Amino acid sequence: MSPVLPLVTSALAALLTALPVWALDRSEGAGAQPRDGGGPVVLSAPAQEPVSGLIRLPPDPEGGGEEAADLPATPGETEPADATGLVAPAAPLRDRAERGTAAPLNTEGLMPLLPVNRLPVSPVAGASLPQPGILRLTGERLVQQMSIYLPESAPVPDRLLLTLQSSINVLPDAARLEVTINEAAPQSLPLDQIGAFGTLALPAEGLRQGENRVMLTIHQPHRIWCGPEATFGVWTEIDLSRSGASVPATSVTPDPGGFALALRAQTGTGRPLPVLSDTTADPVLLRQVTDRVSEAMGGNGQITLRSFYTPGPKSFASVALIPSERNQVSFRPGASGALVMQIEHRPGELPDLAPHLPPPPPPHAGLQLLRPGDPMTFEALGQGDIIGNTHYFRAALPFRLPDAWLLLANQRARLQLHYGYAADLAPGSILLVKVNDQTVRLLPLDVSGGGMREPLDIDFQARFLHGGVNVLSFEMMIPGAPADAVCPPRQGDMLVIRASSTLNVPPSPPMELAGLIRPLSGLSSSGVLPAAGSDAATMPLTAAQIAAGLARPSRPNPAITLHVTDLSTPQALPAGPHQLRLSRLQEALFPLMPATAEVSPQSPPVFRPEGPAEIGSEPEPESGGFTASLASLRDRVTGPEGVLSRLRDEIRQSAYIGSEQSLDEWLEGRRGVALLLRPDPALPDALWLVLGPRAPVDMIAQSLSDLRRSRLASGEAALLDADGTWAVWSPITPPHLLALPAAGQWRTALGNFASWSPLLYTAVTLGLALLSILPVLCFLLITRTRRGGRL
């Protein structure tokens, strides 16, 4: 053997041993993250290039991905310790490897573009937030108001970033988006990002420090057939987390002020705020943290609870709850770019969070109150001129009536409509006027158009309204002419409804239909509690998550409680006079499993005698003469399908407002994900929420807030469907008179009782009539007796 071979072998072994060490040193150096507590905060901005004019930036490949949780700094790692000196448990090796290879933090932040008003979470014609952080603008033409807040310490940026994509039906050569910043001149850019997100940069003329209003005006010509269906086929989506104004990272520092900005961005984009904790976190302390953070958010956002080691979507802000030997609050930039509010606490204690959280926003002014008895213009209700320019158009005007307003009789409300429409609308064009989704008038738009019409008085039944929030809506549908033609270009407006239109609602005595409405109106986040006997490992966290997203009531009542439980602990389910069976509750809340074909045992053969009759046919009954005719007549009159039975059912259905079914009977055949109920009417302030295995905990609070806002829960139980709608069980319960009516309102109060139960009202009226006759009969008998005695 050659003496050189061992030397070569040793050299190769040394080289292979040194390579991993060299690679590890390089990777640790590249992946080191600055964790200086006073360093800059990064609010995930896309990569940019300093080019003037309209700039096209490459899409961010990690824009929609998930990031590792913002872990606390751990001693013993290659990166420097956090400025707070926090000592936290060591992360598992897999998490430490992910952190070691993370990309460096960006050097610029982004103040995001946020909607001014709250938007629906399902796609509609207009603006919506179908996904957290994604604004969808649907329709051929529409206008959307947005806002951008710039810190006082930040220089005014010279560019505005928009990360967007359009549907394939949009014509890129003709579609445009006009952007108006404050009072500056509008700027136009093409909508040619088809099928994938792309970032455009345009000069930010008009931006200033503080609050800025941005108006988006979109024109989306399309290549599909003209008609109402086409409206939903053209849309443009804007990624709010990657759209806005870039500011230097030093202008937003990790402190309470910077966290307030990050929290505003988090809630404004519709993303839930992550609250990170260990799996052994104290549920009581975690609940206190979520309650205080929710109060700072004003009940306008959602909170999600996660472990440190569970990946999640990118966020602007997050909260970390960490056991420690001291009570302290600090702020640091997280690995994913979020600003982390880090709460260290001793066992059973929490530091004071008030100085570190933004003050609660002022209570929302809410909707305008319509004063019954006085005509009010749309402008007084907060609505300007309504302009429709899409082949399917829907505009909603929400307003409030007093909570103690109730009319069940035939009183009429009046809408005086000031409107006009174009002259060349296709045949079959219509406008539907709706009150709480009940159509009260259909107006044709294909005749006598071309200008404003004479004011039109539309009378409708006031019983379509109710106390609380109501919605007056206008729905326009313009077909194609012909239906298989492309929409021609249009310059003028299709429909105009003036703000001078008025709505007049008659007054009502102080009455209400009792049910879940009253306790829901006063339920606050502190009243959401885990039910006694429920799963102690999961239900306190579930209750905390629901409480965190519950909107603040206008008049909170600390005596009202909502007990949260699920079907895993039958002993925690409520008991009350409704006598709801556990099996029925399981049928309603458990997911419906697909039916499987059952193999039945083979039945023995059946032998039939041969004859002229067809197999399976039955012999015709012999005529019974007069007896059979009499029996047939009796069945038609008194039988199960007879005249008297149908009349009895009609009288029973119209006898009262409410359901004669018990809760157990009402749930038969229904499916949902959660059941809200008041098990004992004798305890009106105790509500229960029973969750099914498919219950979306993140959306339960929003659904409860929507149910309270609509004031439609005039019953004792409500079943939440998987699509977020509530079905309400309303047993027979008379209206409640909350106070003595005024002198002129007694007739209206009696009319409400009569409309609630016409049968009872008729019986009472007949009874009073008989009682009024008794004194006359007595008088006649007495006087006739006396006369007879004298004779």
Side-chain angles (χ1 to χ4, degrees):
M1 178 181 295
S2 172
V4 181
L5 185 59
L7 296 177
V8 174
T9 304
S10 302
L12 288 175
L15 179 61
L16 292 175
T17 304
L19 277 176
V21 177
W22 175 79
L24 179 61
D25 293 338
R26 291 292 300 260
S27 64
E28 289 180 351
Q33 303 270 348
R35 294 191 179 272
D36 185 7
V41 177
V42 176
L43 300 181
S44 308
Q48 304 175 30
E49 298 178 4
V51 182
S52 60
L54 185 62
I55 308 168
R56 301 179 183 275
L57 301 178
D60 184 359
E62 300 179 358
E66 292 189 346
E67 293 291 332
D70 294 322
L71 300 173
T74 306
E77 296 187 1
T78 57
E79 51 197 38
D82 192 52
T84 59
L86 171 66
V87 178
L93 291 179
R94 60 178 180 85
D95 295 296
R96 298 171 72 177
E98 289 175 2
R99 294 176 59 196
T101 57
L105 294 175
N106 296 328
T107 57
E108 286 196 68
L110 183 74
M111 305 310 298
L113 190 68
L114 304 176
V116 172
N117 300 317
R118 185 178 180 182
L119 300 177
V121 296
S122 57
V124 297
S128 59
L129 284 172
Q131 301 176 36
I134 302 298
L135 171 68
R136 173 175 284 197
L137 303 175
T138 303
E140 296 96 325
R141 294 171 60 187
L142 67 147
V143 178
Q144 174 63 26
Q145 294 287 343
M146 309 291 288
S147 70
I148 292 180
Y149 183 85
L150 294 180
E152 299 293 336
S153 58
V156 177
D158 57 353
R159 289 180 301 166
L160 182 68
L161 301 179
L162 290 174
T163 301
L164 46 83
Q165 70 170 350
S166 299
S167 70
I168 194 172
N169 297 318
V170 174
L171 289 175
D173 296 335
R176 310 290 295 177
L177 175 63
E178 291 184 356
V179 182
T180 305
I181 303 175
N182 296 323
E183 296 81 18
Q187 302 181 59
S188 179
L189 63 152
L191 295 177
D192 53 3
Q193 303 293 323
I194 306 298
F197 278 104
T199 302
L200 302 179
L202 66 156
E205 298 179 2
L207 272 182
R208 55 176 176 257
Q209 293 177 336
E211 192 74 28
N212 294 268
R213 290 300 176 101
V214 180
M215 184 173 66
L216 305 178
T217 304
I218 196 166
H219 302 267
Q220 301 184 113
H222 55 83
R223 56 170 61 93
I224 51 182
W225 289 350
C226 197
E229 298 83 3
T231 296
F232 296 94
V234 289
W235 47 261
T236 293
E237 290 183 340
I238 301 177
D239 188 344
L240 300 179
S241 61
R242 294 189 285 156
S243 300
S246 296
V247 295
T250 55
S251 57
V252 182
T253 55
D255 54 23
F259 184 76
L261 293 177
L263 189 62
R264 180 180 184 270
Q266 186 75 11
T267 57
T269 54
R271 298 180 182 275
L273 176 73
V275 175
L276 312 175
S277 63
D278 201 356
T279 54
T280 60
D282 187 348
V284 176
L285 297 183
L286 188 60
R287 174 61 183 271
Q288 294 177 8
V289 170
T290 56
D291 284 349
R292 295 176 188 179
V293 173
S294 176
E295 182 181 2
M297 296 164 63
N300 297 322
Q302 300 290 325
I303 289 179
T304 180
L305 305 177
R306 286 210 325 260
S307 167
F308 283 113
Y309 311 112
T310 302
K314 288 184 177 180
S315 60
F316 291 102
S318 62
V319 176
L321 183 64
I322 303 171
S324 178
E325 297 180 354
R326 59 181 177 179
N327 289 340
Q328 178 175 308
V329 177
S330 58
F331 299 89
R332 62 178 178 85
S336 63
L339 177 55
V340 183
M341 179 181 182
Q342 192 162 275
I343 304 173
E344 307 170 55
H345 68 93
R346 299 190 186 97
E349 299 181 15
L350 271 183
D352 185 12
L353 303 182
H356 307 280
L357 287 172
H364 194 270
L367 302 175
Q368 293 294 330
L369 179 67
L370 189 147
R371 297 182 299 273
D374 297 330
M376 292 190 66
T377 64
F378 287 6
E379 185 177 7
L381 294 175
Q383 177 66 57
D385 291 343
I386 298 174
I387 300 176
N389 285 313
T390 56
H391 284 75
Y392 176 86
F393 173 77
R394 181 180 174 91
L397 170 57
F399 61 92
R400 274 194 316 116
L401 284 172
D403 293 342
W405 184 94
L406 180 66
L407 287 180
L408 300 177
N410 291 326
Q411 292 92 344
R412 311 289 287 184
R414 170 166 291 186
L415 167 66
Q416 187 179 81
L417 192 62
H418 302 173
Y419 75 114
Y421 49 91
D424 55 348
L425 298 182
S429 301
I430 58 173
L431 173 66
L432 300 179
V433 181
K434 297 185 176 183
V435 175
N436 291 331
D437 287 333
Q438 180 74 36
T439 300
V440 298
R441 180 64 66 89
L442 186 151
L443 300 175
L445 301 180
D446 52 1
V447 294
S448 304
M452 297 299 298
R453 303 294 302 272
E454 292 294 327
L456 176 65
D457 291 334
I458 301 176
D459 294 334
F460 61 92
Q461 298 185 25
R463 60 185 177 87
F464 293 154
L465 301 168
H466 50 77
V469 178
N470 296 264
V471 178
L472 173 66
S473 58
F474 302 94
E475 189 172 7
M476 179 180 67
M477 287 173 280
I478 309 295
D484 57 352
V486 178
C487 292
R490 176 178 294 277
Q491 300 298 327
D493 297 323
M494 294 183 180
L495 174 70
V496 176
I497 299 176
R498 293 291 189 187
S500 56
S501 302
T502 61
L503 181 61
N504 188 8
V505 175
S508 157
M511 302 180 70
E512 71 174 6
L513 285 172
L516 300 173
I517 294 176
R518 181 170 290 277
L520 271 180
S521 299
L523 178 64
S524 59
S525 60
S526 60
V528 183
L529 306 170
S534 60
D535 188 355
T538 61
M539 207 48 58
L541 300 181
T542 301
Q545 193 166 353
I546 293 175
L550 191 66
R552 291 184 300 175
S554 56
R555 292 183 296 273
N557 184 351
I560 297 174
T561 55
L562 176 66
H563 304 275
V564 184
T565 184
D566 58 12
L567 297 176
S568 64
T569 51
Q571 68 275 9
L573 296 177
H578 297 320
Q579 298 180 352
L580 178 61
R581 293 180 298 165
L582 176 61
S583 59
R584 180 71 70 198
L585 189 60
Q586 291 174 339
E587 291 175 4
L589 297 183
F590 266 84
L592 186 63
M593 302 301 294
T596 56
E598 296 184 359
V599 180
S600 59
Q602 185 177 3
S603 58
V606 177
F607 298 95
R608 301 180 183 273
E610 295 182 359
E614 243 179 75
I615 295 179
S617 64
E618 297 181 359
E620 296 183 0
E622 298 181 358
S623 174
F626 177 76
T627 304
S629 301
L630 186 61
S632 176
L633 179 62
R634 184 177 62 250
D635 291 340
R636 294 175 185 174
V637 175
T638 62
E641 302 295 333
V643 176
L644 293 181
S645 297
R646 292 197 301 268
L647 182 60
R648 182 176 63 250
D649 293 340
E650 292 177 1
I651 293 175
R652 181 182 300 173
Q653 292 175 3
S654 61
Y656 301 95
I657 293 179
S659 175
E660 287 188 337
Q661 294 179 318
S662 66
L663 180 57
D664 192 274
E665 296 171 342
W666 180 80
L667 283 176
E668 183 178 1
R670 298 178 182 269
R671 294 292 184 272
V673 296
L675 179 67
L676 174 70
L677 74 158
R678 185 168 58 173
D680 192 352
L683 301 173
D685 294 338
L687 301 177
W688 290 73
L689 182 67
V690 184
L691 303 177
R694 297 179 302 165
V697 178
D698 291 341
M699 301 303 297
I700 290 290
Q702 182 64 45
S703 300
L704 288 172
S705 300
D706 293 340
L707 183 63
R708 174 169 60 192
R709 191 179 301 109
S710 65
R711 293 188 63 84
L712 294 178
S714 56
E716 298 296 332
L719 183 66
L720 179 63
D721 200 352
D723 61 357
T725 59
W726 293 91
V728 180
W729 173 64
S730 300
I732 298 174
T733 306
H736 284 188
L737 193 61
L738 302 178
L740 289 178
Q745 292 184 341
W746 278 103
R747 180 180 177 183
T748 305
L750 293 176
N752 281 341
F753 282 104
S755 299
W756 171 74
S757 177
L759 182 63
L760 180 62
Y761 178 76
T762 303
V764 171
T765 304
L766 290 177
L768 292 176
L770 292 176
L771 290 177
S772 65
I773 294 175
L774 287 178
V776 178
L777 292 176
C778 293
F779 176 75
L780 291 176
L781 291 175
I782 292 173
T783 54
R784 185 172 292 261
T785 302
R786 289 178 179 178
R787 288 178 182 177
R790 288 195 297 269
L791 293 175

